[in-house]
Amino acid sequence: MLVLRLLNVVAPAYFLCISLVTFVLQIFLFIPSMFRDPSTTPLFSPALLHGALFLFLSANALGNYVLVIQSSPEDLGKDLNLGKGGEVADWLDGSRSPGSALPSTHFCRLCARVTQRHDHHCFFTGNCIGSRNMRNFIMFCLYTSLACLDSLVAGMAYISATLSMSFVDPLAFLTLLPHSISQFFSGALLSSEMFVILMLYLWLGIGLACAGFCCHQMLLILRGQTRYQVRKGMVVRARPWRENLQEVFGKRWLLGLLIPVLNVESDYRRQKEK
């Protein structure tokens, strides 16, 4: 448990550090290198378009990241009758007050609260993912993956121009790291260039991981399930996939796809307000 709590603090700091390094490399290294002659650069040059695209992707990724933390799942433990002197762990095991438990609720030991439609605990946000912040979490994964892909392409263009090498051959990227390490220790490669090459593989790994996680999460949403339900083998009521999507993304799904907006309120809160 101590290791998990430590990871819950280190992982968000690691993500913010990678985001800051990516932003600095894009703004102060990659984009300026695309301008050959700023005095003759047209208005809609590739550099300006790339800069606008990167800022759009970064703003959506960081905006949804903040909303995931801000829209943390509400604590239902104070509203559930767990029994006098009863432990939450007893309620989780189903040995106490089974009629008072809402479906798909779960107690997170890291957050120390009961959340509705619990999916999983995300260490990179230091928060649980549930019904309130699921849409923002998916948008965060999507735009993080796209931002990493954008940075990967820009970094490869920078390395290609700096080292006068071509990435037409797919094996060129696979052999870039071992070849660069040998050149770095022999003194033929600068530290800044070696750092950019390492960041290329880091962006590739983060981008593929976020894309795969986003696709897996969308598949579960279409089925009307959460990762917690799948892990526990819970049976869910079959519903049309359109209803499952609308429950997560709401009717303003297009607005949430373009700009970071708050997620729809949970069914539990709407029933409680009624």
Side-chain angles (χ1 to χ4, degrees), residues 132-149:
R132 294 185 62 187
N133 54 5
M134 176 59 73
R135 180 178 66 177
N136 297 121
F137 177 75
I138 293 178
M139 291 296 101
F140 160 68
C141 292
L142 174 64
Y143 281 105
T144 299
S145 177
L146 294 177
C148 288
L149 177 61

Side-chain angles (χ1 to χ4, degrees), residues 55-67:
L55 292 178
F56 170 76
L57 297 177
S58 301
N60 275 277
L62 294 178
N64 283 285
Y65 179 81
V66 173
L67 292 180

Side-chain angles (χ1 to χ4, degrees), residues 63-64 67 71 135-136 252 255-257 259-264:
N64 283 285
L67 292 180
S71 305
R135 180 178 66 177
N136 297 121
R252 300 181 300 171
L255 181 63
L257 185 63
I259 59 176
V261 293
L262 286 174
N263 199 357
V264 293

